[in-house]
Amino acid sequence: MVTNFVDNATKAAASTISSAITTVARLTDFGVAVPNAMIDQHLPDEGGGLITLAAQSKNAGAMRRIAANSRVEHRHMAIDPYVEDITGWSTGTRMRRYAQEALPLAKVAVAEAFERSAVLPHQVGLFCLVSSTGYAAPAIDTLVARDIGIPADVQRVCVGHMGCFAAMPGLGVCSDFVRSRHRPALLVNVELSSLHQQPLPWDLEQIVVGSLFGDAATAVIVEPASGGRPGLDVVDFVAHTDTDYADYMTWKIGDRGFRMGLSAKVPEVIGIHLPRVLRKLLAPHHLDISDIHWWAVHPGGRAIIDAVERTLGLPAEEVAVSRSVLRDAGNCSSAGVVQVLHALQSRTPLPSGQWGVAMAFGPGLTLSTALVRGAGDVRTRAHQVPLG
């Protein structure tokens, strides 16, 4: 358990300073979109939602056992494995399909974020697109901006191939822009992992991957806190990369899509480094674990959530929302932690003045964290969009 970074007297003496420095960039509105095709993974005859592949695989039995143990019940997928077997597709073919599928999904997420926002599309000064599952030029952000009325002079940044933690640097870029330019920013994550089903036969590592990942797009509006709208104030970021474990999580571009490498030892490494990372995040703001009201833990898998809960000594209810997102959507890569933020703010909004921590993990091996502070409630909603 990680506790008592600073004593109560120090925290009390610093409270006024902390209040002064914890506002500027604020997350105010969220949008989430998922493909209509949904795999009911908890059903025993579905073999992890890939029955057509399981029937051909010598590891079909292992596929079913791993899927049952994943705690993932549903995943939304742009590529429905009951309809299409893409395991033989070239990377080029997959990227062309990415461009077709990603644009409508991103537009639905963005439209949802703007639906209740006081920010209008023409006011956006920065558009940051995050995706580790596909590439196109013109990029998806260019086409979304064109279609929803974001001006042609908007600044654009693409964060690519950083994996599951990529939402955190994307959020950092948006927050820095809002602080320095005093204009709103838009963060969009689009992840279509279903495009990267690998050729058979699958080893155990690929069975785990094939039973875990889902597809989603998310959108977040980040605006100056001076606008007075409720939301989450972005306070600080801390990340740590341990290259000694770089081969524990990989995302390699091949001739048949992107191939993930995923070691069962990743949760162990997270447990080693997380206390130190959180100390660096919280101590400068005179906080410790007991001051954190809620936790947005990336739903990277059952063992990863278990490792965070165990390492920090958190009550089970503190990671219940992360588990529910994992159950209902799987691991949606960089969109995952945004889905958890969306769900937390929808179900149990961070009260004004209370502290929260978001965290995600990815290749490197990297732990990335953000400190946020509540400034009222935000309204969120999820939508499905038919694709194809």
Side-chain angles (χ1 to χ4, degrees), residues 332-388:
C332 293
S333 190
S334 74
V337 71
V338 182
Q339 289 172 296
V340 175
L341 285 166
H342 158 272
L344 279 167
Q345 283 295 90
S346 178
R347 303 174 194 179
T348 56
L350 187 60
S352 184
Q354 295 292 326
W355 299 93
V357 168
M359 64 180 72
F361 319 101
L365 192 111
T366 300
L367 294 76
S368 188
T369 63
L371 178 65
V372 297
R373 196 175 193 186
D377 300 344
V378 292
R379 304 179 186 181
T380 58
R381 187 180 302 170
H383 278 267
Q384 295 182 3
V385 56
L387 297 181

Short mmCIF file of all heavy atoms in Angstrom, two decimals, residues 332-388:
data_model
loop_
_atom_site.label_atom_id
_atom_site.label_comp_id
_atom_site.label_asym_id
_atom_site.label_seq_id
_atom_site.Cartn_x
_atom_site.Cartn_y
_atom_site.Cartn_z
N CYS A 332 -10.00 -1.27 -25.27
CA CYS A 332 -10.09 -0.49 -26.51
C CYS A 332 -8.87 0.40 -26.71
O CYS A 332 -8.96 1.52 -27.22
CB CYS A 332 -11.38 0.34 -26.51
SG CYS A 332 -12.87 -0.66 -26.59
N SER A 333 -7.71 -0.12 -26.29
CA SER A 333 -6.44 0.56 -26.48
C SER A 333 -6.50 1.98 -25.92
O SER A 333 -6.96 2.17 -24.79
CB SER A 333 -6.05 0.54 -27.96
OG SER A 333 -4.72 0.98 -28.15
N SER A 334 -6.06 2.98 -26.67
CA SER A 334 -5.97 4.33 -26.10
C SER A 334 -7.31 4.93 -25.74
O SER A 334 -7.39 5.86 -24.93
CB SER A 334 -5.24 5.26 -27.08
OG SER A 334 -6.06 5.60 -28.19
N ALA A 335 -8.40 4.41 -26.33
CA ALA A 335 -9.72 4.92 -25.97
C ALA A 335 -10.19 4.39 -24.61
O ALA A 335 -11.15 4.92 -24.04
CB ALA A 335 -10.74 4.53 -27.04
N GLY A 336 -9.52 3.37 -24.08
CA GLY A 336 -9.99 2.71 -22.87
C GLY A 336 -10.06 3.61 -21.66
O GLY A 336 -11.08 3.65 -20.95
N VAL A 337 -8.98 4.34 -21.36
CA VAL A 337 -9.00 5.19 -20.17
C VAL A 337 -9.99 6.33 -20.32
O VAL A 337 -10.59 6.79 -19.34
CB VAL A 337 -7.58 5.71 -19.83
CG1 VAL A 337 -7.11 6.75 -20.85
CG2 VAL A 337 -7.53 6.27 -18.42
N VAL A 338 -10.22 6.80 -21.55
CA VAL A 338 -11.23 7.84 -21.78
C VAL A 338 -12.63 7.26 -21.53
O VAL A 338 -13.50 7.95 -20.96
CB VAL A 338 -11.13 8.41 -23.20
CG1 VAL A 338 -12.15 9.53 -23.40
CG2 VAL A 338 -9.72 8.94 -23.46
N GLN A 339 -12.85 6.02 -21.92
CA GLN A 339 -14.13 5.38 -21.62
C GLN A 339 -14.36 5.30 -20.11
O GLN A 339 -15.49 5.48 -19.64
CB GLN A 339 -14.16 3.97 -22.21
CG GLN A 339 -14.26 3.92 -23.73
CD GLN A 339 -14.11 2.51 -24.25
OE1 GLN A 339 -13.06 1.89 -24.10
NE2 GLN A 339 -15.15 1.98 -24.87
N VAL A 340 -13.30 5.05 -19.36
CA VAL A 340 -13.44 4.98 -17.90
C VAL A 340 -13.72 6.37 -17.32
O VAL A 340 -14.59 6.53 -16.45
CB VAL A 340 -12.18 4.36 -17.26
CG1 VAL A 340 -12.27 4.41 -15.73
CG2 VAL A 340 -11.99 2.92 -17.73
N LEU A 341 -13.02 7.39 -17.79
CA LEU A 341 -13.33 8.75 -17.36
C LEU A 341 -14.77 9.11 -17.66
O LEU A 341 -15.48 9.70 -16.83
CB LEU A 341 -12.38 9.74 -18.05
CG LEU A 341 -10.95 9.79 -17.53
CD1 LEU A 341 -10.06 10.55 -18.51
CD2 LEU A 341 -10.89 10.43 -16.15
N HIS A 342 -15.22 8.77 -18.87
CA HIS A 342 -16.60 9.00 -19.28
C HIS A 342 -17.57 8.31 -18.33
O HIS A 342 -18.54 8.90 -17.85
CB HIS A 342 -16.77 8.49 -20.71
CG HIS A 342 -18.16 8.17 -21.13
ND1 HIS A 342 -18.72 6.93 -20.92
CD2 HIS A 342 -19.11 8.90 -21.76
CE1 HIS A 342 -19.96 6.91 -21.39
NE2 HIS A 342 -20.21 8.10 -21.91
N ALA A 343 -17.30 7.04 -18.02
CA ALA A 343 -18.21 6.27 -17.17
C ALA A 343 -18.21 6.80 -15.74
O ALA A 343 -19.26 6.91 -15.10
CB ALA A 343 -17.81 4.79 -17.19
N LEU A 344 -17.04 7.14 -15.21
CA LEU A 344 -16.97 7.68 -13.86
C LEU A 344 -17.74 8.98 -13.74
O LEU A 344 -18.51 9.20 -12.80
CB LEU A 344 -15.51 7.89 -13.45
CG LEU A 344 -14.75 6.66 -12.97
CD1 LEU A 344 -13.25 6.95 -12.92
CD2 LEU A 344 -15.24 6.22 -11.59
N GLN A 345 -17.53 9.87 -14.72
CA GLN A 345 -18.21 11.17 -14.66
C GLN A 345 -19.71 11.04 -14.86
O GLN A 345 -20.49 11.86 -14.40
CB GLN A 345 -17.61 12.12 -15.70
CG GLN A 345 -16.26 12.68 -15.28
CD GLN A 345 -16.38 13.58 -14.06
OE1 GLN A 345 -16.28 13.12 -12.93
NE2 GLN A 345 -16.61 14.86 -14.28
N SER A 346 -20.12 9.99 -15.56
CA SER A 346 -21.54 9.76 -15.77
C SER A 346 -22.20 9.16 -14.53
O SER A 346 -23.31 9.54 -14.16
CB SER A 346 -21.73 8.83 -16.97
OG SER A 346 -23.10 8.55 -17.18
N ARG A 347 -21.50 8.22 -13.87
CA ARG A 347 -22.11 7.48 -12.76
C ARG A 347 -21.83 8.13 -11.41
O ARG A 347 -22.74 8.22 -10.56
CB ARG A 347 -21.58 6.04 -12.76
CG ARG A 347 -21.82 5.30 -14.07
CD ARG A 347 -21.14 3.94 -14.06
NE ARG A 347 -21.09 3.37 -15.41
CZ ARG A 347 -20.54 2.19 -15.69
NH1 ARG A 347 -20.01 1.46 -14.73
NH2 ARG A 347 -20.53 1.75 -16.94
N THR A 348 -20.59 8.49 -11.17
CA THR A 348 -20.20 9.08 -9.89
C THR A 348 -19.29 10.28 -10.16
O THR A 348 -18.07 10.19 -9.98
CB THR A 348 -19.47 8.05 -9.01
OG1 THR A 348 -18.34 7.54 -9.72
CG2 THR A 348 -20.39 6.92 -8.62
N PRO A 349 -19.82 11.39 -10.62
CA PRO A 349 -18.99 12.53 -11.00
C PRO A 349 -18.07 12.97 -9.86
O PRO A 349 -18.46 12.95 -8.68
CB PRO A 349 -20.02 13.62 -11.33
CG PRO A 349 -21.28 12.88 -11.63
CD PRO A 349 -21.27 11.67 -10.77
N LEU A 350 -16.87 13.33 -10.23
CA LEU A 350 -15.89 13.80 -9.23
C LEU A 350 -16.39 15.11 -8.63
O LEU A 350 -16.54 16.11 -9.33
CB LEU A 350 -14.53 13.99 -9.90
CG LEU A 350 -13.36 14.32 -8.97
CD1 LEU A 350 -13.14 13.21 -7.95
CD2 LEU A 350 -12.08 14.53 -9.79
N PRO A 351 -16.66 15.13 -7.31
CA PRO A 351 -17.19 16.36 -6.70
C PRO A 351 -16.22 17.52 -6.82
O PRO A 351 -15.00 17.35 -6.88
CB PRO A 351 -17.40 15.95 -5.23
CG PRO A 351 -17.49 14.46 -5.25
CD PRO A 351 -16.58 14.02 -6.36
N SER A 352 -16.77 18.70 -6.83
CA SER A 352 -15.96 19.90 -6.95
C SER A 352 -14.95 19.97 -5.80
O SER A 352 -15.30 19.78 -4.64
CB SER A 352 -16.86 21.14 -6.92
OG SER A 352 -16.10 22.31 -7.12
N GLY A 353 -13.69 20.17 -6.18
CA GLY A 353 -12.62 20.26 -5.20
C GLY A 353 -11.97 18.95 -4.84
O GLY A 353 -10.91 18.93 -4.21
N GLN A 354 -12.57 17.81 -5.24
CA GLN A 354 -11.99 16.50 -4.95
C GLN A 354 -11.00 16.10 -6.04
O GLN A 354 -11.07 16.57 -7.17
CB GLN A 354 -13.09 15.45 -4.82
CG GLN A 354 -14.03 15.66 -3.66
CD GLN A 354 -13.35 15.45 -2.32
OE1 GLN A 354 -12.46 14.61 -2.19
NE2 GLN A 354 -13.76 16.21 -1.31
N TRP A 355 -10.10 15.19 -5.66
CA TRP A 355 -9.01 14.80 -6.55
C TRP A 355 -9.26 13.44 -7.18
O TRP A 355 -9.85 12.55 -6.56
CB TRP A 355 -7.69 14.75 -5.79
CG TRP A 355 -7.28 16.07 -5.19
CD1 TRP A 355 -7.55 16.51 -3.93
CD2 TRP A 355 -6.55 17.11 -5.83
NE1 TRP A 355 -7.02 17.75 -3.74
CE2 TRP A 355 -6.39 18.16 -4.88
CE3 TRP A 355 -6.01 17.26 -7.10
CZ2 TRP A 355 -5.72 19.33 -5.19
CZ3 TRP A 355 -5.34 18.43 -7.41
CH2 TRP A 355 -5.20 19.45 -6.46
N GLY A 356 -8.78 13.27 -8.40
CA GLY A 356 -8.85 12.00 -9.09
C GLY A 356 -7.55 11.72 -9.83
O GLY A 356 -6.79 12.64 -10.15
N VAL A 357 -7.29 10.46 -10.10
CA VAL A 357 -6.10 10.04 -10.85
C VAL A 357 -6.54 9.15 -12.00
O VAL A 357 -7.35 8.23 -11.81
CB VAL A 357 -5.10 9.29 -9.95
CG1 VAL A 357 -4.02 8.62 -10.79
CG2 VAL A 357 -4.45 10.25 -8.95
N ALA A 358 -6.03 9.43 -13.18
CA ALA A 358 -6.20 8.56 -14.34
C ALA A 358 -4.86 7.93 -14.66
O ALA A 358 -3.81 8.57 -14.50
CB ALA A 358 -6.71 9.35 -15.54
N MET A 359 -4.89 6.68 -15.11
CA MET A 359 -3.63 6.00 -15.43
C MET A 359 -3.84 5.02 -16.57
O MET A 359 -4.93 4.45 -16.73
CB MET A 359 -3.07 5.28 -14.21
CG MET A 359 -3.93 4.15 -13.68
SD MET A 359 -3.20 3.35 -12.23
CE MET A 359 -3.45 4.60 -10.97
N ALA A 360 -2.78 4.87 -17.38
CA ALA A 360 -2.82 3.92 -18.48
C ALA A 360 -1.42 3.37 -18.68
O ALA A 360 -0.42 3.96 -18.23
CB ALA A 360 -3.33 4.57 -19.75
N PHE A 361 -1.33 2.25 -19.37
CA PHE A 361 -0.07 1.52 -19.51
C PHE A 361 0.09 1.07 -20.96
O PHE A 361 -0.89 0.76 -21.63
CB PHE A 361 -0.07 0.31 -18.57
CG PHE A 361 -0.66 0.62 -17.22
CD1 PHE A 361 -1.95 0.23 -16.91
CD2 PHE A 361 0.07 1.32 -16.28
CE1 PHE A 361 -2.51 0.53 -15.68
CE2 PHE A 361 -0.47 1.63 -15.04
CZ PHE A 361 -1.77 1.23 -14.74
N GLY A 362 1.34 1.03 -21.43
CA GLY A 362 1.54 0.65 -22.81
C GLY A 362 2.98 0.31 -23.11
O GLY A 362 3.82 0.18 -22.21
N PRO A 363 3.30 0.18 -24.41
CA PRO A 363 4.64 -0.22 -24.81
C PRO A 363 5.71 0.73 -24.28
O PRO A 363 5.48 1.92 -24.11
CB PRO A 363 4.57 -0.18 -26.35
CG PRO A 363 3.12 -0.40 -26.65
CD PRO A 363 2.39 0.31 -25.55
N GLY A 364 6.86 0.14 -24.02
CA GLY A 364 7.97 0.96 -23.55
C GLY A 364 8.92 0.26 -22.58
O GLY A 364 10.09 0.33 -22.76
N LEU A 365 8.44 -0.30 -21.50
CA LEU A 365 7.10 -0.40 -20.97
C LEU A 365 6.78 0.87 -20.18
O LEU A 365 7.59 1.29 -19.36
CB LEU A 365 6.96 -1.63 -20.06
CG LEU A 365 5.53 -1.98 -19.68
CD1 LEU A 365 5.06 -3.26 -20.32
CD2 LEU A 365 5.41 -2.07 -18.18
N THR A 366 5.61 1.46 -20.44
CA THR A 366 5.31 2.80 -19.95
C THR A 366 4.09 2.80 -19.04
O THR A 366 3.08 2.17 -19.34
CB THR A 366 5.06 3.74 -21.14
OG1 THR A 366 6.24 3.78 -21.97
CG2 THR A 366 4.73 5.14 -20.67
N LEU A 367 4.22 3.54 -17.93
CA LEU A 367 3.12 3.89 -17.06
C LEU A 367 2.90 5.38 -17.20
O LEU A 367 3.84 6.17 -17.07
CB LEU A 367 3.41 3.56 -15.60
CG LEU A 367 3.57 2.10 -15.18
CD1 LEU A 367 4.90 1.52 -15.61
CD2 LEU A 367 3.43 1.96 -13.66
N SER A 368 1.67 5.81 -17.45
CA SER A 368 1.37 7.22 -17.64
C SER A 368 0.19 7.59 -16.77
O SER A 368 -0.83 6.90 -16.75
CB SER A 368 1.06 7.50 -19.12
OG SER A 368 0.95 8.89 -19.36
N THR A 369 0.32 8.70 -16.03
CA THR A 369 -0.70 9.09 -15.06
C THR A 369 -1.05 10.56 -15.21
O THR A 369 -0.25 11.37 -15.69
CB THR A 369 -0.21 8.85 -13.62
OG1 THR A 369 0.94 9.67 -13.36
CG2 THR A 369 0.15 7.39 -13.39
N ALA A 370 -2.26 10.91 -14.77
CA ALA A 370 -2.71 12.30 -14.77
C ALA A 370 -3.45 12.57 -13.47
O ALA A 370 -4.20 11.72 -12.98
CB ALA A 370 -3.63 12.58 -15.96
N LEU A 371 -3.26 13.75 -12.94
CA LEU A 371 -3.97 14.22 -11.75
C LEU A 371 -5.03 15.22 -12.19
O LEU A 371 -4.74 16.17 -12.93
CB LEU A 371 -2.99 14.89 -10.79
CG LEU A 371 -3.58 15.48 -9.50
CD1 LEU A 371 -4.17 14.37 -8.61
CD2 LEU A 371 -2.49 16.26 -8.73
N VAL A 372 -6.26 14.98 -11.76
CA VAL A 372 -7.37 15.87 -12.11
C VAL A 372 -8.09 16.29 -10.83
O VAL A 372 -7.97 15.64 -9.78
CB VAL A 372 -8.37 15.21 -13.08
CG1 VAL A 372 -7.71 14.88 -14.40
CG2 VAL A 372 -9.00 13.96 -12.47
N ARG A 373 -8.84 17.39 -10.93
CA ARG A 373 -9.61 17.88 -9.79
C ARG A 373 -11.02 18.23 -10.25
O ARG A 373 -11.20 18.86 -11.30
CB ARG A 373 -8.95 19.11 -9.17
CG ARG A 373 -9.49 19.43 -7.78
CD ARG A 373 -8.72 20.57 -7.14
NE ARG A 373 -9.03 20.67 -5.72
CZ ARG A 373 -8.58 21.65 -4.93
NH1 ARG A 373 -7.82 22.61 -5.44
NH2 ARG A 373 -8.90 21.67 -3.65
N GLY A 374 -12.01 17.81 -9.48
CA GLY A 374 -13.39 18.03 -9.85
C GLY A 374 -13.79 19.49 -9.81
O GLY A 374 -13.40 20.24 -8.93
N ALA A 375 -14.59 19.88 -10.81
CA ALA A 375 -15.16 21.22 -10.85
C ALA A 375 -16.63 21.11 -11.22
O ALA A 375 -17.14 21.84 -12.05
CB ALA A 375 -14.41 22.09 -11.86
N GLY A 376 -17.32 20.15 -10.61
CA GLY A 376 -18.73 19.94 -10.91
C GLY A 376 -18.91 18.72 -11.77
O GLY A 376 -17.98 17.95 -12.02
N ASP A 377 -20.15 18.50 -12.25
CA ASP A 377 -20.49 17.33 -13.04
C ASP A 377 -20.36 17.62 -14.53
O ASP A 377 -20.48 18.75 -14.96
CB ASP A 377 -21.94 16.89 -12.78
CG ASP A 377 -22.15 16.54 -11.31
OD1 ASP A 377 -21.14 16.34 -10.61
OD2 ASP A 377 -23.31 16.48 -10.88
N VAL A 378 -20.13 16.57 -15.30
CA VAL A 378 -20.21 16.67 -16.75
C VAL A 378 -21.22 15.67 -17.25
O VAL A 378 -21.44 14.63 -16.64
CB VAL A 378 -18.85 16.42 -17.45
CG1 VAL A 378 -17.89 17.53 -17.15
CG2 VAL A 378 -18.28 15.08 -17.04
N ARG A 379 -21.87 15.96 -18.36
CA ARG A 379 -22.85 15.06 -18.94
C ARG A 379 -22.19 14.26 -20.04
O ARG A 379 -21.49 14.80 -20.88
CB ARG A 379 -24.02 15.86 -19.53
CG ARG A 379 -24.70 16.77 -18.52
CD ARG A 379 -25.82 17.54 -19.20
NE ARG A 379 -26.39 18.52 -18.30
CZ ARG A 379 -27.41 19.32 -18.65
NH1 ARG A 379 -27.94 19.23 -19.85
NH2 ARG A 379 -27.88 20.18 -17.78
N THR A 380 -22.45 12.96 -20.04
CA THR A 380 -21.85 12.09 -21.04
C THR A 380 -22.88 11.11 -21.54
O THR A 380 -23.87 10.82 -20.89
CB THR A 380 -20.65 11.31 -20.45
OG1 THR A 380 -21.12 10.56 -19.33
CG2 THR A 380 -19.56 12.25 -19.99
N ARG A 381 -22.60 10.56 -22.70
CA ARG A 381 -23.52 9.59 -23.29
C ARG A 381 -22.75 8.77 -24.31
O ARG A 381 -21.82 9.25 -24.93
CB ARG A 381 -24.66 10.34 -23.98
CG ARG A 381 -25.77 9.44 -24.50
CD ARG A 381 -26.84 10.27 -25.15
NE ARG A 381 -27.38 11.24 -24.23
CZ ARG A 381 -28.20 12.23 -24.61
NH1 ARG A 381 -28.54 12.36 -25.88
NH2 ARG A 381 -28.66 13.08 -23.72
N ALA A 382 -23.13 7.51 -24.47
CA ALA A 382 -22.50 6.64 -25.47
C ALA A 382 -23.49 6.35 -26.59
O ALA A 382 -24.67 6.22 -26.35
CB ALA A 382 -22.02 5.34 -24.83
N HIS A 383 -22.97 6.26 -27.79
CA HIS A 383 -23.82 5.96 -28.95
C HIS A 383 -23.19 4.83 -29.74
O HIS A 383 -21.99 4.60 -29.69
CB HIS A 383 -23.91 7.19 -29.86
CG HIS A 383 -24.94 8.18 -29.41
ND1 HIS A 383 -26.23 8.18 -29.87
CD2 HIS A 383 -24.85 9.21 -28.54
CE1 HIS A 383 -26.91 9.18 -29.30
NE2 HIS A 383 -26.08 9.80 -28.49
N GLN A 384 -24.01 4.10 -30.48
CA GLN A 384 -23.54 3.14 -31.44
C GLN A 384 -23.79 3.70 -32.84
O GLN A 384 -24.68 4.47 -33.07
CB GLN A 384 -24.26 1.80 -31.29
CG GLN A 384 -23.98 1.11 -29.97
CD GLN A 384 -24.66 -0.23 -29.87
OE1 GLN A 384 -25.31 -0.67 -30.82
NE2 GLN A 384 -24.53 -0.88 -28.74
N VAL A 385 -22.93 3.26 -33.76
CA VAL A 385 -23.07 3.73 -35.13
C VAL A 385 -22.92 2.54 -36.07
O VAL A 385 -22.01 1.73 -35.90
CB VAL A 385 -22.01 4.82 -35.47
CG1 VAL A 385 -20.61 4.34 -35.22
CG2 VAL A 385 -22.15 5.27 -36.92
N PRO A 386 -23.81 2.36 -37.01
CA PRO A 386 -23.64 1.29 -37.99
C PRO A 386 -22.47 1.62 -38.91
O PRO A 386 -22.34 2.74 -39.38
CB PRO A 386 -24.97 1.29 -38.75
CG PRO A 386 -25.53 2.67 -38.58
CD PRO A 386 -25.05 3.13 -37.23
N LEU A 387 -21.62 0.63 -39.11
CA LEU A 387 -20.44 0.83 -39.95
C LEU A 387 -20.50 -0.08 -41.16
O LEU A 387 -21.23 -1.06 -41.20
CB LEU A 387 -19.17 0.52 -39.16
CG LEU A 387 -18.93 1.44 -37.95
CD1 LEU A 387 -17.64 1.05 -37.28
CD2 LEU A 387 -18.86 2.89 -38.39
N GLY A 388 -19.64 0.24 -42.11
CA GLY A 388 -19.55 -0.59 -43.33
C GLY A 388 -19.92 0.19 -44.51
O GLY A 388 -19.56 -0.07 -45.61
#
